[in-house]
Amino acid sequence: MSAQPSPCINPQTEQEKVFQWINELSNPDTRETALLELSKKRETVTDLAPMLWNSYGTTAALLQEIINIYPSISPATLTAHQSNRVCNALALLQCVASHPETRTVFLQAQIPLFLYPFLHTTSKTRPFEYLRLTSLGVIGALVKTDEQEVITFLLTTEIIPLCLRIMESGSELSKTVATFILQKILLDESGLSYICQTYERFSHVAIILGKMVIQLAKEPSARLLKHVVRCYLRLSDNPRAREALRQCLPDQLRDSTFSACLQDDKSTKHWLQLLTKNLELVGVIVPDPRQMGMSPLGS
C-alpha cells in the first residue's frame, strides 16, 4: 500500500505567500489585504523584517500608509477602518524596528519621526487610542533592545515630552507603554543624565510621575505602578535628582497606600524599599533643588 500524502502545509508554499503579499504592498489595489495578512505573520516568519526592508518599494508603501492618515488626525476624523489599516502598517514597522539586522538602518532613516504626529493626538476615541498605542509599540520595540544607538537617537527627538503627555492623560495601556519607554531611557546613563541635566527637565518628569501616583492611589494598576516606581528608583541614582526627590516624592509611596496592590509583586516592593532607602532623610538637610547645580534650561 502506498503511503498517504502528508496533510502538513508545505513551508515553501507559506514562504511563497509571504513573498507574494510583500510584492502586493507596492500595489494600492492589493495593499490592504497584504498588510492584514503580513501583520498576522510577523511573529511566525523569522526573517520577515529583512524581507520587508530589502524588498523594492515596501518601506515607501508603508510610509505612504502613514502619511495618508495625517489629514484625518487634524481635524480628528479618523475612522475605525482607517485606524485598523494604518496599524497593520505600523505592526510591520515594529517588526523591522525590533530585528537586529534592520534596527540600525530603521533609525538611520529616521522612520520613528513619521509616527510622532500620531503621538501628538489627544482624541480619546477608540480609533485614536489604538493608533497611539500601536505607535508607542514601535518605540517600545526599539527601547526593549537596550541598544545605546536607540537611546542616542531618541534623545535627539521629542519622545520624552510626548511620552509624558500620554502618561498624564492616556488610557491605562498607553500610559503603561509610555512609562516603560521613559523607564528604558532613564536606565541608560545618557538618558538619566539628559533628564537630570536641568531642573526644568527633571521637574517635568517628577510632576507627571507624581500625578500618576495620585491617580494610581484612586485606581490601582500593579503593572503601571511597577514602571512608575522603577522610574523613581532610577532617578534616585542621580545625586541631584535624589536630593530633589526627598522634597517631592509623593506621600503615597512613603506610606502603606499601595500595600494591597503590591501584595504579590515582590520585585516592585523591593524597588520601593530601595527607593525609600536611597531617600532616607535621617540627618539630611534638604536644599532647594534649583540651587543644587542643575543647569538652567538651554545651558
Side-chain angles (χ1 to χ4, degrees):
M1 182 180 292
S2 61
Q4 293 295 317
S6 171
C8 296
I9 298 174
N10 185 346
Q12 184 62 38
T13 304
E14 282 298 297
Q15 190 174 49
E16 286 174 353
K17 285 182 181 178
V18 170
F19 283 131
Q20 179 184 334
W21 288 324
I22 291 175
N23 286 331
E24 289 176 352
L25 288 174
S26 298
N27 184 342
D29 295 330
T30 56
R31 186 178 298 160
E32 184 171 6
T33 300
L35 285 170
L36 177 61
E37 295 300 333
L38 285 169
S39 68
K40 294 176 183 176
K41 297 291 183 183
R42 68 185 190 277
E43 301 291 343
T44 56
V45 179
T46 309
D47 292 324
L48 181 58
M51 290 161 65
L52 289 168
W53 187 262
N54 294 312
S55 56
Y56 180 78
T58 297
T59 303
L62 295 177
L63 291 179
Q64 188 176 48
E65 287 295 306
I66 289 171
I67 293 168
N68 285 345
I69 293 298
Y70 288 170
S72 298
I73 62 178
S74 183
T77 58
L78 186 71
T79 65
H81 177 260
Q82 287 176 308
S83 180
N84 288 336
R85 176 168 173 161
V86 73
C87 285
N88 285 334
L90 291 170
L92 296 182
L93 287 178
Q94 179 175 333
C95 175
V96 175
S98 58
H99 197 285
E101 289 182 32
T102 51
R103 182 173 55 249
T104 297
V105 286
F106 183 84
L107 291 173
Q108 290 172 342
Q110 301 193 16
I111 303 294
L113 299 185
F114 287 90
L115 280 54
Y116 285 14
F118 299 156
L119 299 180
H120 270 288
T121 62
T122 56
S123 172
K124 295 187 181 297
T125 63
R126 184 169 292 184
F128 275 97
E129 184 56 40
Y130 184 37
L131 180 64
R132 281 190 297 272
L133 182 60
T134 311
S135 299
L136 285 169
V138 178
I139 310 300
L142 282 170
V143 298
K144 198 173 183 180
T145 64
D146 294 320
E147 293 289 341
Q148 177 65 54
E149 64 175 346
V150 172
I151 305 302
T152 300
F153 170 81
L154 290 177
L155 290 179
T156 67
T157 74
E158 57 181 329
I159 191 61
I160 292 174
L162 285 174
C163 282
L164 290 173
R165 177 194 288 183
I166 293 170
M167 287 162 60
E168 183 176 14
S169 60
S171 68
E172 181 188 325
L173 199 49
S174 288
K175 285 181 178 181
T176 303
V177 181
T179 311
F180 170 76
I181 293 169
L182 178 66
Q183 172 189 319
K184 284 293 191 177
I185 291 173
L186 281 168
L187 286 173
D188 184 270
E189 284 299 328
S190 61
L192 179 64
S193 297
Y194 177 86
I195 287 174
C196 296
Q197 184 179 11
T198 70
Y199 178 72
E200 285 78 5
R201 287 177 191 165
F202 166 80
S203 63
H204 190 191
V205 172
I207 287 168
I208 298 303
L209 288 174
K211 287 181 178 179
M212 294 178 74
V213 170
I214 292 170
Q215 187 60 35
L216 282 165
K218 300 174 185 175
E219 300 174 19
S221 164
R223 178 173 53 179
L224 180 52
L225 181 61
K226 184 187 196 80
H227 296 304
V228 170
V229 170
R230 190 65 185 91
C231 286
Y232 271 120
L233 178 58
R234 179 55 174 160
L235 284 170
S236 74
D237 287 337
N238 179 277
R240 292 176 295 176
R242 182 163 62 244
E243 296 297 336
L245 286 174
R246 285 181 171 134
Q247 282 192 329
C248 68
L249 187 75
D251 291 338
Q252 292 87 346
L253 292 179
R254 301 175 188 264
D255 57 29
S256 59
T257 298
F258 295 109
S259 296
C261 182
L262 298 179
Q263 188 172 359
D264 300 318
D265 191 339
K266 292 182 180 179
S267 62
T268 307
K269 279 197 290 189
H270 178 62
W271 291 339
L272 196 51
Q273 288 167 356
L274 286 177
L275 174 62
T276 303
K277 184 177 180 181
N278 284 356
L279 302 184
E280 260 179 348
L281 296 173
V282 180
V284 175
I285 298 174
V286 180
D288 183 333
R290 286 166 293 189
Q291 298 175 5
M292 296 182 319
M294 285 187 171
S295 308
L297 189 63
S299 66

